[in-house]
Amino acid sequence: KRLAELPFAGIIFYPIESYDNLSYFSPFILRNTPLVSIDKTIPYADVPCIKCDNYLCAYKMTQYLIDKGHTNIAFYAHTLKDENEKQRFLGYLNALVDNGISPNSDFFLELEKDCQPQNMMPESNSILNETVKSQLQQMFLLKERPTALFCAFDLIAAYIQQQAGHLGISIPDDLSVVGFDNLPVCDHLQVPLTSVAQDFDSIGNKAVELISQKINGERTDSCYMFDGNIIERSSVKDITVSEN
């Protein structure tokens, strides 16, 4: 709201939400302020977006788990209302199907499905801790339980590791866990986390390039997507070795 009152040649946004907060972008859109969005699209507006190819990266991570011998792979999202998490979920599903693995709806976990929206950052969030713990317990009570869990982003994986420790679940011996984003926390968890690393440098450089083009009145494409890399750490067990 404060930005809307100030004169800018152009603005690079990193939105938390897109649809829910559309009213915040409207003043800039109405006065034709050059805008560029990182990570999430701004709907109903000609605003170019630079982001990770969430579908492709999730597909690659799921394929990585399959190559490690895992066929019972669960997926844990914060909320599938989020466009990025939805694309990661679709990448996961299609990787399973392309490998002849039937997706199991018992393996789809969503943190906000049965509770109020939760802030993932505070470690003292008791409601979130109990929700993660309960869902993890239910997953391990399944007759055919997952051997691997793909978390839609790293903070969920951090909560999973914390609650797994309380439940006596060993990572990766009982459950392999992977994340997405390759945040600094990945190296500092009790079991260092295998995760998808986004190319943040390229995304940032492209954002500056595009805002300069928009300010100069040049046309740009609506979406630019970058690939990511899988950073291997200790949180995945190769069960093809034990099978052999």
Side-chain angles (χ1 to χ4, degrees):
K1 289 180 179 179
R2 289 195 299 269
L3 285 175
E5 300 170 358
L6 301 172
F8 287 96
I11 303 174
I12 298 171
F13 279 105
Y14 190 171
I16 296 173
E17 297 290 349
S18 52
Y19 290 90
D20 289 350
N21 292 327
L22 186 58
S23 60
Y24 293 120
F25 305 115
S26 298
F28 305 105
I29 294 168
L30 291 173
R31 70 186 188 206
N32 295 317
T33 302
L35 303 178
V36 168
S37 176
I38 292 176
D39 192 55
K40 290 182 175 65
T41 57
I42 299 175
Y44 313 117
D46 183 21
V47 178
C49 179
I50 309 101
K51 63 194 305 183
C52 170
D53 191 333
N54 291 287
Y55 176 94
L56 175 62
C57 290
Y59 188 105
K60 287 165 57 176
M61 179 60 92
T62 307
Q63 186 65 55
Y64 166 84
L65 290 170
I66 293 169
D67 291 342
K68 295 292 185 182
H70 297 277
T71 55
N72 289 354
I73 303 170
F75 186 92
Y76 202 157
H78 184 211
T79 170
L80 291 176
K81 295 176 183 177
D82 178 88
E83 63 179 89
N84 291 340
E85 290 188 72
K86 189 179 296 182
Q87 286 300 310
R88 293 170 192 180
F89 182 57
L90 291 174
Y92 150 82
L93 288 177
N94 279 277
L96 293 179
V97 171
D98 287 351
N99 282 273
I101 302 169
S102 178
N104 184 343
S105 58
D106 288 335
F107 292 174
F108 309 156
L109 307 176
E110 191 176 358
L111 186 59
E112 288 192 4
K113 187 174 182 180
D114 299 317
C115 65
Q116 293 299 311
Q118 298 292 329
N119 186 340
M120 292 294 294
M121 298 303 290
E123 294 182 10
S124 59
N125 189 327
S126 59
I127 297 175
L128 189 146
N129 283 328
E130 286 304 312
T131 301
V132 172
K133 183 178 179 180
S134 174
Q135 291 179 325
L136 191 55
Q137 283 177 312
Q138 291 173 23
M139 190 172 70
F140 266 74
L141 289 174
L142 293 172
K143 185 175 181 181
E144 187 175 15
R145 66 172 183 81
T147 61
L149 176 62
F150 185 171
C151 297
F153 57 94
D154 294 336
L155 289 178
I156 291 181
Y159 275 91
I160 285 290
Q161 282 210 21
Q162 181 187 58
Q163 296 308 315
H166 295 322
L167 294 171
I169 297 169
S170 172
I171 297 173
D173 291 333
D174 297 326
L175 182 69
S176 293
V177 179
V178 299
F180 203 111
D181 288 334
N182 195 42
L183 298 178
V185 70
C186 293
D187 282 316
H188 303 290
L189 295 174
Q190 185 173 359
V191 181
L193 182 69
T194 294
S195 184
V196 173
Q198 297 193 46
D199 189 352
F200 292 126
D201 286 343
S202 294
I203 290 171
N205 287 332
K206 190 66 177 180
V208 174
E209 176 187 326
L210 290 182
I211 198 66
S212 298
Q213 291 175 348
K214 295 280 285 184
I215 290 170
N216 292 329
E218 301 173 28
R219 292 187 61 83
T220 61
D221 291 336
S222 60
C223 187
Y224 300 81
M225 292 197 290
F226 288 86
D227 198 357
N229 297 311
I230 294 174
I231 306 300
E232 292 189 83
R233 295 186 179 88
S234 310
S235 63
V236 175
K237 181 178 181 180
D238 186 344
I239 62 177
T240 63
V241 176
S242 57
E243 288 174 353
N244 295 331

